[in-house]
Structures are given as C-alpha cells and as structure tokens.
Amino acid sequence: MKNKKIKKIDFFNIKKANEPYKESFKKVFGQFLNSENIVLGEKTEEFERKFSSYCGTEFALGVSNGLDALKLILMAYIELGIFKTDDEIIVPANTYIASILSITQSGLKPILVDADIETYNIDFDKIEEKISEKTKGIMIVHLYGEIAASTKLFELAKKYNLKIIEDSAQAHGAEYQGKKAGNIGDASGFSFYPSKNLGAMGDAGGITTNDPELFETIRYLRNYGSKIKYENRYKGFNNRIDELQAALLIKKLERLDIENSIRRKNADYLSKNINNSKIILPKPPDNLESHVWHLYVTRTEKRNKFIEYLNSKNIGTLIHYPIPPHKQKAYIEMKDDIFPISEKMHNTVVSLPSNIHLTQYELDYIVNT
C-alpha cells in the first residue's frame, strides 16, 4: 500500500468502540429511566451472577472502580484478622500506581519486586528474597492483558501461607491453565474503566472470589458497612456500582470474547508484519489464551523521536507508563529504591494502536509507517 497521509488513527476511540452497542445502550437507558432501582438493584445482581459465571468463580461484586476493588479486598482481609496494619504485600515495581495505592491506602506496606523484561510482569524468581515474617500477600498484576502466574508463584504462596490477590484491571477474559483472570488467586479486583477490554460508560469495578466469608465482608464494606439499612457492622465505604453501569456491562460482557479475539488478531498481525530493528516488539505468550492484549506495548531507545515520527504520520500513541511508581512524588519515601528492569521499561515503552475499532487499512498503514 502507498504510505500516504490519512485521517488520524486514534489510539482509542470510545465512539467507535461502542458503535456495536449503540441501539442496545439506548434501550438500556430507556429501561433505566423507567426503573426505581438506581443503586444495588436487579441489574447489579444480574451482572454479578453473569460475571462470576464468566470468570468461573463462586462470587462477584460490582463496585465503584478498580482501585476501590483492590482496597476492599485488602480491607476485608484486615476486618477478618488475616491482615493487620503494616503487614507487607508484595507487588510488581512495573505497574500502574493504583496497584500500590490500594496497599498504602489500606494501611499496609508495599514491597516492590522488579519485572521480567520479556513479559513486563513480576519476576517470579525475585519474589522469595523479598518475603519476610510480615509478608501476608502477593498482588499479581496482569499487566497489558497478560496473565502473571506460574507454578513458582503458587509454591511460594503455599510455602509462606500468602494470599494471592489479582489486579485484573487489564486482563478480562485472559486465561491460565483453563482458569480465567479473577479465578487464579484468592481474590481479584477488576476495573471497568471505559477503555478496558470490558468497559463501562463511566467509572466502575468488580471483585471476584471463591471465599464466602471474604465475599460477605466485602458486601458489607462496599455499602457503608451495612447490609440492612441503618445497621452498620463495619466502618465501611461508599463503593457501590450503580444500576446503569451494571446494565451496560451486561451487554458488553456478551461480546467480550469476540472483542478479545479481535485484539489477539490485531496484535498477531502487528507482530508478524512490523519489521524494524530499532523497535522491540512484545513477545507473544506461549499460550495464546493467556493474553488479551489490552495494550500492544513496544520498546525503543529513541522513544521521543519514534513518537514524533508517528504523530507526523497521524498515528496516535500512548506511554504506559512514563514514570514508575517508586519515582513518583507521591512515594518520595521510595525515591532511592532501584529496580533497573522496571526503570528501563518505563523509559522505553510506547503503546501502538491495536484496538477493536481499527480497520485492516489502518493496521496496514501502521505496519508500513
């Protein structure tokens, strides 16, 4: 194809992404306007049933957003006496800051572990050296859509009696040994932010678990610590999903596997056809089902020039993420920590468009450019 100027290729276009749902969303909104249930009603319960069934877990809860999902899990473990203030939670150094915020905002201490240069996920070989008597859990982050799990992870969790908490914000539908994200650890937090593989039309999140006691505790905590109005068992929070977002997510869940297959197809096409020695492409996983390609992340030492060049050709890019959490002003107490692999990634990553709304012509244009 001729490498000519074309209309801007958006990194993500929410209008295009939601085009298949336009008519069904209108119907859902009409039903919502005529409903007397606004929060924690029938649609929330229906979504929770369908999402737990999809993930293969006993329980699911709709909550306000992904950060709150992780916090509620941690706070519930504290209420149950499994965690206590200042206990340590291992977490990858290469992650979005929300993973770490959930730990510190729960009164727990994050212990960062460097990343694997090929998967961008936590390096399982570096976990054990960070485990102490105060370590109570490992938060695995399925970054960019690829499952972060291994036999070694489960062996360490069993050996040291640690809870495994999944940050599944970017991995809806990804699988590990026949189990979907959300059903791999002891509990999982999901984000349904609009740009996610399963995205709402505003902020929303979810939690999955097979632990009935944890589920019941979170059910109280998300609603002011209450199950019966004006009776409060815990010092809870207002972390509920609203009925409209739950109803929209029911529709989006119906097409999640279809859209994940499109993401896989697009990522595979980019990987097989981009040929440039200055760019490091993401390594395809051994098991294709383990990755849902929320993001297609490349690396290059000449990041600024690469982005400028693509912008000049009307190709949108993003950086996920430019500053690692331990170098953020918010965590100035970590400023002297060194995680060389994570820092290398944060200094070189560039995410290319690979979303479900891309046309074949646009994919070809990206490859040729």
Side-chain angles (χ1 to χ4, degrees):
M1 64 178 287
K2 290 183 178 180
N3 201 351
K4 62 181 181 179
K5 281 239 179 184
I6 65 169
K7 188 177 179 181
K8 176 81 172 182
I9 297 177
D10 296 317
F11 182 80
F12 174 72
N13 186 309
I14 194 167
K15 289 183 179 179
K16 291 180 180 178
N18 284 318
E19 185 64 30
Y21 305 96
K22 198 170 181 179
E23 294 307 314
S24 64
F25 277 9
K26 287 179 181 177
K27 185 175 180 180
V28 165
F29 190 69
Q31 293 170 340
F32 175 73
L33 287 175
N34 292 319
S35 172
E36 295 181 0
N37 292 320
I38 305 299
V39 177
L40 297 184
E42 292 176 0
K43 287 301 177 182
T44 296
E45 292 176 359
E46 181 182 350
F47 173 69
E48 290 171 342
R49 287 195 307 272
K50 289 182 174 179
F51 192 61
S52 65
S53 176
Y54 177 82
C55 294
T57 58
E58 289 292 323
F59 309 104
L61 289 141
V63 298
S64 43
N65 56 63
L67 171 58
D68 289 338
L70 294 173
K71 282 171 59 180
L72 284 166
I73 293 167
L74 298 172
M75 294 301 296
Y77 277 133
I78 290 172
E79 291 289 354
L80 292 169
I82 295 168
F83 296 166
K84 62 179 184 299
T85 303
D86 292 330
D87 276 346
E88 296 173 354
I89 306 295
I90 286 173
V91 63
N94 182 45
T95 184
Y96 183 55
I97 198 170
S99 311
I100 297 168
L101 285 171
S102 70
I103 297 169
T104 57
Q105 290 179 7
S106 301
L108 301 167
K109 184 178 179 180
I111 302 297
L112 276 58
V113 172
D114 212 351
D116 182 317
I117 193 69
E118 292 191 340
T119 66
Y120 302 156
N121 282 327
I122 195 167
D123 188 333
F124 300 112
D125 292 331
K126 295 177 181 176
I127 292 177
E128 190 164 21
E129 64 191 51
K130 296 293 186 79
I131 295 174
S132 73
E133 291 182 357
K134 299 196 73 176
T135 307
K136 293 297 187 293
I138 303 172
M139 183 177 288
I140 53 173
V141 181
H142 307 314
L143 199 66
Y144 305 150
E146 183 169 9
I147 291 291
S150 71
T151 301
K152 187 158 193 174
L153 170 71
F154 299 115
E155 289 173 349
L156 289 172
K158 184 177 181 180
K159 179 178 178 181
Y160 294 100
N161 192 27
L162 306 177
K163 295 295 183 183
I164 296 175
I165 299 147
E166 298 174 69
D167 181 341
S168 301
Q170 301 183 3
H172 317 74
E175 293 187 11
Y176 176 78
Q177 295 184 351
K179 289 187 175 182
K180 282 190 167 67
N183 192 26
I184 294 166
D186 294 284
S188 178
F190 288 86
S191 168
F192 302 131
Y193 187 75
S195 61
K196 303 298 186 187
N197 291 40
L198 180 61
M201 291 298 286
D203 269 326
I207 295 167
T208 54
T209 185
N210 292 308
D211 183 336
E213 194 173 20
L214 184 71
F215 163 75
E216 193 66 16
T217 305
I218 295 171
R219 199 147 71 103
Y220 276 95
L221 287 176
R222 73 170 174 181
N223 186 38
Y224 299 102
S226 172
K227 190 162 72 171
I228 300 173
K229 196 170 185 178
Y230 303 131
E231 292 184 18
N232 306 82
R233 178 178 293 188
Y234 303 109
K235 296 173 184 175
F237 312 94
N238 179 9
N239 290 154
R240 306 167 300 195
I241 194 172
D242 67 65
E243 283 286 278
L244 178 58
Q245 299 303 336
L248 296 172
L249 285 166
I250 291 168
K251 295 298 181 183
K252 296 290 282 287
L253 185 59
E254 293 172 0
R255 279 179 51 88
L256 178 56
D257 286 341
I258 294 171
E259 295 188 354
N260 280 342
S261 69
I262 296 171
R263 290 175 184 271
R264 290 190 180 103
K265 182 181 177 182
N266 289 350
D268 183 61
Y269 188 81
L270 294 176
S271 292
K272 287 180 177 176
N273 290 281
I274 293 175
N275 183 15
N276 190 318
S277 61
K278 297 183 177 70
I279 304 166
I280 299 172
L281 302 179
K283 182 184 177 183
D286 294 332
N287 176 10
L288 296 178
E289 299 302 309
S290 70
H291 207 321
V292 290
W293 297 99
H294 172 62
L295 298 170
Y296 187 87
V297 182
T298 67
R299 288 189 288 120
T300 177
E301 297 295 332
K302 300 181 183 296
R303 180 165 71 188
N304 290 341
K305 287 187 176 181
F306 184 45
I307 292 172
E308 287 172 9
Y309 173 72
L310 292 178
N311 282 340
S312 75
K313 300 295 184 179
N314 282 334
I315 297 174
T317 61
L318 285 177
I319 300 173
H320 297 89
Y321 302 95
I323 305 172
H326 68 284
K327 296 299 182 185
Q328 297 281 2
K329 289 182 180 179
Y331 287 107
I332 195 167
E333 66 272 21
M334 298 181 184
K335 65 182 176 63
D336 296 326
D337 293 349
I338 299 174
F339 301 100
I341 302 301
S342 294
E343 289 165 25
K344 180 180 180 68
M345 291 173 183
H346 284 261
N347 289 331
T348 58
V349 292
V350 181
S351 300
L352 300 183
S354 63
N355 223 295
I356 57 172
H357 54 67
L358 291 177
T359 65
Q360 186 60 50
Y361 181 85
E362 290 172 327
L363 286 166
D364 287 336
Y365 180 81
I366 291 167
V367 165
N368 282 276
T369 301

